[in-house]
Amino acid sequence: MINSLPEVQRENKFRRLHKNPRLLKALIQSTPTKENNYYQVSISEDLGFQLRTYEWYEVDAKTFTIKYFDVASGKSMTLSEKRKLNKKKQ
């Protein structure tokens, strides 16, 4: 699901056009627990000697709703909120 997000698809399309062999991939970092009913998923690039992480997401284990997770603030937001925020920055 995360690999299918337009943001990830757009970046990987750009990388393919520029012959970059390192595509971004979703990696499950943690699975649901009794306290948190979501998967934590990172968007990462494997450099061979280093794993570079760009974004974090939370996926609800029951509804499969995806939220963006801001590591710096420790807060989640919906994808539409994140996309609106990105448009304002442009």
Side-chain angles (χ1 to χ4, degrees), residues 7-18:
E7 296 85 347
V8 177
Q9 291 291 310
R10 190 170 33 255
E11 176 63 24
N12 280 337
K13 182 178 180 181
F14 177 82
R15 287 168 179 250
R16 282 186 195 98
L17 285 172
H18 290 87

Side-chain angles (χ1 to χ4, degrees), residues 34-50:
K34 289 182 182 180
E35 296 81 30
N36 298 311
N37 189 39
Y38 56 81
Y39 293 89
Q40 278 195 318
V41 181
S42 67
I43 294 297
S44 302
E45 174 183 25
D46 186 354
L47 300 173
F49 61 92
Q50 178 186 46

Side-chain angles (χ1 to χ4, degrees), residues 28 56 76 89-90:
I28 297 173
W56 287 84
S76 300
K89 289 180 181 180
Q90 293 174 351

Side-chain angles (χ1 to χ4, degrees), residues 50-62:
Q50 178 186 46
L51 188 63
R52 185 172 292 162
T53 299
Y54 294 99
E55 293 188 330
W56 287 84
Y57 293 90
E58 294 175 339
V59 180
D60 187 290
K62 291 182 182 175

Side-chain angles (χ1 to χ4, degrees), residues 40-41 54-58 67-78 82 85 89:
Q40 278 195 318
V41 181
Y54 294 99
E55 293 188 330
W56 287 84
Y57 293 90
E58 294 175 339
K67 289 187 173 182
Y68 173 78
F69 180 70
D70 184 341
V71 177
S73 70
K75 296 182 181 179
S76 300
M77 65 178 82
T78 66
K82 173 64 174 160
L85 188 63
K89 289 180 181 180

